[in-house]
Amino acid sequence: ILTRGDNYAPPQPGAILQAANFLAYARLQAGNSTTPSTLTREQNVFYVTGGSGQITAGGKTSALHRDIAVFMPADLEFVMKNTGSDALTMYVVSEPVPDGFVPAKAMLVTDEREVPVRTPMAASPYTLPGASGHWAHVVRDLFSRSDGLATIGDLITVTINPLQMGEPHPHNPGQEEIWAAIDGDSLAFLGTELRVQHPGMAYMIRPDQVMTHSNINAGDAPVKFLWFSGSSIKH
């Protein structure tokens, strides 16, 4: 969906990322398994949207179903299997591992349905100073730097209830924030434009301190996004 490139001059559609490696959509057909794989100089988060299966890494096996998120650190062999009759579907976020980084030794699994809701007034440590959760955002935290992420600061889901919207705001240079729609249609407010955003579509706001953005739910059912943020500025 999104790959590495340049937000100001993408070499091809979707090639805008400079901190993360990619955002992709994956499908594992019924009865299939992946080959044993080890991530080198990258780490992945898998967010399951449908089907059923299991993932094994480091001697630990966990069930996969809708709303399960898995953080797979670098240098750990894993296998994923579809144990159901339908396709196992998921979003995949990949981040690079910088030189000298020591990855976690075990995969982490989070069931989003068991995560306490962070109310709009409880801002993440990775939001801009003074931010208050941006109005209507109903947040559930999946993984953060404290869990072993190397480049991405925070990975969450954000739900916006019917006829509500987030607070319009700009981003600072180097800040990379991705909004991937996973449930429901919404409106992406980007600068002076409105774009209809369907599930499977994602965007990154231009971090120029000028362009504002928001997400608007003009419908009669909640909409949900997979959100992650990092910085392309090297410290």
Side-chain angles (χ1 to χ4, degrees):
I1 301 171
L2 300 178
T3 59
R4 291 187 73 86
D6 184 343
N7 186 269
Y8 291 92
Q12 63 191 46
I16 59 174
L17 302 177
Q18 292 178 278
N21 288 328
F22 63 78
L23 166 69
Y25 182 76
R27 180 183 292 110
L28 184 62
Q29 298 295 351
N32 287 355
S33 297
T34 63
T35 58
S37 304
T38 302
L39 301 173
T40 302
R41 296 190 64 82
E42 72 168 302
Q43 302 188 132
N44 286 354
V45 172
F46 306 102
Y47 179 82
V48 181
T49 57
S52 58
Q54 61 185 33
I55 187 167
T56 300
K60 174 184 176 182
T61 297
S62 295
L64 299 175
H65 55 74
R66 181 177 171 84
D67 299 329
I68 288 288
V70 178
F71 168 55
M72 188 60 61
D75 305 328
L76 184 65
E77 185 177 272
F78 68 97
V79 174
M80 194 178 299
K81 181 178 182 180
N82 185 332
T83 59
S85 56
D86 299 319
L88 181 63
T89 57
M90 66 197 73
Y91 289 91
V92 185
V93 178
S94 170
E95 65 163 8
V97 174
D99 293 337
F101 180 80
V102 179
K105 303 302 181 184
M107 72 173 176
L108 294 179
V109 179
T110 299
D111 188 337
E112 182 196 358
R113 295 172 297 183
E114 298 178 359
V115 175
V117 172
R118 173 152 49 93
T119 61
M121 289 304 294
S124 159
Y126 297 99
T127 55
L128 294 175
S132 61
H134 300 311
W135 293 357
H137 295 173
V138 179
V139 173
R140 289 177 172 85
D141 296 290
L142 299 178
F143 303 112
S144 67
R145 289 278 176 88
S146 63
D147 296 309
L149 290 175
T151 305
I152 295 169
D154 210 0
L155 192 144
I156 64 178
T157 63
V158 180
T159 298
I160 299 178
N161 288 316
L163 301 179
Q164 296 189 26
M165 64 180 286
E167 175 188 11
H169 62 280
H171 286 175
N172 293 324
Q175 186 179 7
E176 188 165 283
E177 181 176 290
I178 308 304
W179 287 84
I182 53 180
D183 286 328
D185 295 333
S186 59
L187 294 174
F189 166 30
L190 304 171
T192 61
E193 299 181 355
L194 289 175
R195 300 291 182 90
V196 177
Q197 189 172 4
H198 306 293
M201 296 173 65
Y203 75 86
M204 171 186 166
I205 182 66
R206 178 169 290 182
D208 58 8
Q209 294 182 309
V210 175
M211 177 181 279
T212 58
H213 86 108
S214 179
N215 300 283
I216 302 170
N217 183 358
D220 57 4
V223 297
K224 188 164 72 170
F225 303 85
L226 185 65
W227 179 103
F228 60 93
S229 180
S231 174
S232 61
I233 296 177
K234 303 303 181 183
H235 299 284

